[in-house]
């Protein structure tokens, strides 16, 4: 998009879509119920519910000369979202590593799963069902229950969300 000029309407569209993505990020759990996967987002403060969006096909790898103006706008949003999503999860993981020891991953903790290629405003949220310690006693793997099933993930692919107790 280096040679394309962007109109003010396109800039406003990009900004409002990015605003929706930022306001969709999970902040904390809504309840202490271990079966509840609902999370508090910034959207709850704005519209009293989570912000959702229409899933557009990923076009980051498509050359600009094959795209319409709308698709170029979506491509910019997808690029920024993918970058921010990765950076946000890394920051969240570093924050939890700074506040807690690695072995503080507990059964029932609400976590975000680090997944590649998720569409904007989409987060994989789950609860830790059980932890699997390695031979040295450190927790390295956990089983996580999500809406779509049970996953086994290394703790490097999990980001613990803060709870009401913290």
């Amino acid at each position: 998009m280096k040679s394309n000029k962007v109109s003010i309407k396109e800039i406003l569209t990009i900004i409002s879509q990015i605003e929706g993505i930022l306001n969709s990020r999970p902040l904390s759990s809504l309840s202490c119920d271990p079966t509840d996967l609902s999370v508090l987002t910034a959207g709850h403060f704005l519209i009293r519910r989570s912000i959702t969006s229409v899933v557009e096909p990923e076009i980051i790898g498509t050359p600009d000369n094959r795209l319409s103006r709308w698709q170029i706008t979506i491509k910019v949003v997808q690029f920024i979202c993918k970058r921010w999503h990765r950076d946000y999860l890394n920051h969240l993981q570093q924050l939890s590593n700074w506040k807690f020891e690695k072995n503080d991953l507990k059964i029932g903790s609400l976590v975000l799963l680090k997944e590649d290629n998720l569409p904007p405003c989409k987060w994989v949220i789950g609860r830790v069902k059980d932890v699997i310690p390695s031979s040295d006693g450190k927790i390295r793997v956990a089983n996580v229950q999500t809406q779509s099933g049970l996953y086994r993930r290394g703790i490097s692919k999990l980001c613990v969300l803060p709870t009401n107790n913290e």
Side-chain angles (χ1 to χ4, degrees):
M1 189 154 160
K2 33 188 155 167
S3 64
N4 294 333
K5 292 184 180 179
V6 182
S7 72
I8 189 70
K9 288 182 182 179
E10 291 167 336
I11 289 174
L12 291 175
T13 300
I14 290 168
I15 290 171
S16 65
Q17 287 195 2
I18 291 170
E19 178 184 16
I21 292 165
L22 296 178
N23 287 331
S24 76
R25 75 188 185 282
L27 300 174
S28 178
S29 67
L30 274 176
S31 73
C32 296
D33 181 10
T35 60
D36 187 14
L37 297 177
S38 57
V39 292
L40 178 69
T41 67
H44 283 89
F45 298 109
L46 299 171
I47 60 173
R48 296 185 183 175
R49 65 176 175 82
S50 303
I51 294 176
T52 57
S53 69
V54 176
V55 177
E56 298 274 350
E58 186 171 311
I59 52 177
I60 290 177
T62 309
D64 287 349
N65 62 353
R66 295 183 51 210
L67 301 175
S68 68
R69 296 299 295 175
W70 173 251
Q71 289 172 321
I72 289 173
T73 303
I74 295 302
K75 183 178 179 178
V76 170
V77 171
Q78 287 177 352
F79 176 77
I80 292 170
C81 174
K82 185 176 285 270
R83 183 83 184 262
W84 179 82
H85 199 270
R86 186 188 67 227
D87 291 346
Y88 175 67
L89 290 177
N90 287 339
H91 170 72
L92 194 60
Q93 200 169 36
Q94 288 172 355
L95 185 65
S96 84
N97 289 345
W98 176 69
K99 284 177 94 175
F100 313 106
E101 272 190 47
K102 288 271 190 198
N103 282 342
D104 280 353
L105 185 66
K106 293 181 176 64
I107 294 173
S109 295
L110 190 67
V111 295
L112 290 174
L113 278 69
K114 290 173 95 175
E115 296 286 331
D116 297 331
N117 302 323
L118 284 177
C121 295
K122 179 74 174 157
W123 304 89
V124 181
I125 300 166
R127 290 235 183 231
V128 175
K129 281 298 193 191
D130 59 325
V131 294
I132 302 163
S134 62
S135 59
D136 62 358
K138 299 226 184 246
I139 297 170
R140 304 216 190 275
V141 178
N143 289 325
V144 180
Q145 182 68 50
T146 68
Q147 287 181 340
S148 59
L150 188 67
Y151 292 94
R152 180 172 284 193
R153 291 286 190 267
I155 61 168
S156 63
K157 294 286 187 179
L158 301 176
C159 301
V160 180
L161 285 174
T163 61
N164 298 335
N165 304 340
E166 297 165 4

